[in-house]
Amino acid sequence: ESKLEKRKEDFVRNNLLSDEFIEFVQKNKKPFDTLMSYYQCAIMEVETKFKVLSEEYSLEYDRNPIENIKSRVKSFDSLLKKIRRKNIPLTMTSIEENIQDIAGVRVICSFPDDIYRLADCLLSQDDIILLEKKDYIKNPKPSGYRSLHLIIQTPIFLQEGKRMVTVEVQLRTIAMDFWASLEHKLRYKKNISEEQSAFLAEEMSQCAEISASLDERMQKVKDMLIQSEQESKE
Ligand code: GTP
Ligand code: MG
């Protein structure tokens, strides 16, 4: 019964908060839309930076280090959920300051060492500011999650001048992306017993290990091929 009560309370609280949020967005429609468009512009800037690096690399080494780039501006729904979860005051500035993944750029690389090469190249550009780096490849999450996360600021150039915008960049290999995509789908399955859930967590973490060892082997094969190619040129 108390559980039910708590659910009801949650429902009421969340609903109130979402009403409050919707009202906030309606009242601030213009500045809110403007802010969201800045994030879209920042995504375009960061994507272009990666495409330029990839173009240059392809010319030099005859190989594309980037398989795919997937970008998104955070949806209204997940923005609201995060504001709620982190108890962020409903003002434009506090949303901008406290939520660092409104603009997200996911770069899917071919090999693990492409991740670090691309990250270093991006971070050495003189208009990019690094706010935070989280290396979940060297230090995987307990779930097994692996990726390199960079929270950066990039300038966008507007009529009235330059504006710095925060972007979350996630760099990962195809194998890391494969694991993260499927784990994300399985994570939200409901009606699972505690026992089952512990088993699944262990399974997922082991799958991540297998996936990481595949990455390592593919990397070694690539290194071997490059080396024999160089030796045959000498
Ligand atoms: P958030 O508040 O969720 O953004 O957490 P955070 O600020 O601590 O960021 P964190 O570095 O933990 O991860 C941010 C993003 O990485 C998430 O939004 C996911 O896209 C991804 N991520 C992190 N952990 C996992 C995981 O265990 N599984 C999957 N599939 N994705 C993950
Ligand atoms: Mg996040």
Side-chain angles (χ1 to χ4, degrees), residues 74 82 101 168:
K74 206 175 190 62
K82 196 155 190 174
D101 65 345
E168 180 183 86

Side-chain angles (χ1 to χ4, degrees), residues 72 74 82 85 100-101 134 149 168 170:
R72 60 109 185 93
K74 206 175 190 62
K82 196 155 190 174
R85 181 159 56 86
Q100 297 184 313
D101 65 345
K134 290 186 265 189
H149 289 194
E168 180 183 86
Q170 300 180 344

Side-chain angles (χ1 to χ4, degrees), residues 5-18:
E5 279 305 309
K6 199 177 170 308
R7 269 209 195 144
K8 259 190 213 159
E9 272 170 35
D10 273 359
F11 182 77
V12 171
R13 188 169 55 97
N14 288 346
N15 228 16
L16 277 179
L17 270 169
S18 78

Side-chain angles (χ1 to χ4, degrees), residues 16 19 37 44 62 65 113 123 127 133 138 149 163 182 192 200 202 219:
L16 277 179
D19 284 347
S37 85
M44 295 192 286
D62 204 25
D113 65 358
L123 294 176
D127 55 349
K133 187 189 226 170
K138 295 213 167 77
H149 289 194
R163 187 187 169 103
L182 297 192
I192 285 176
L200 290 176
E202 181 55 30
Q219 172 82 59

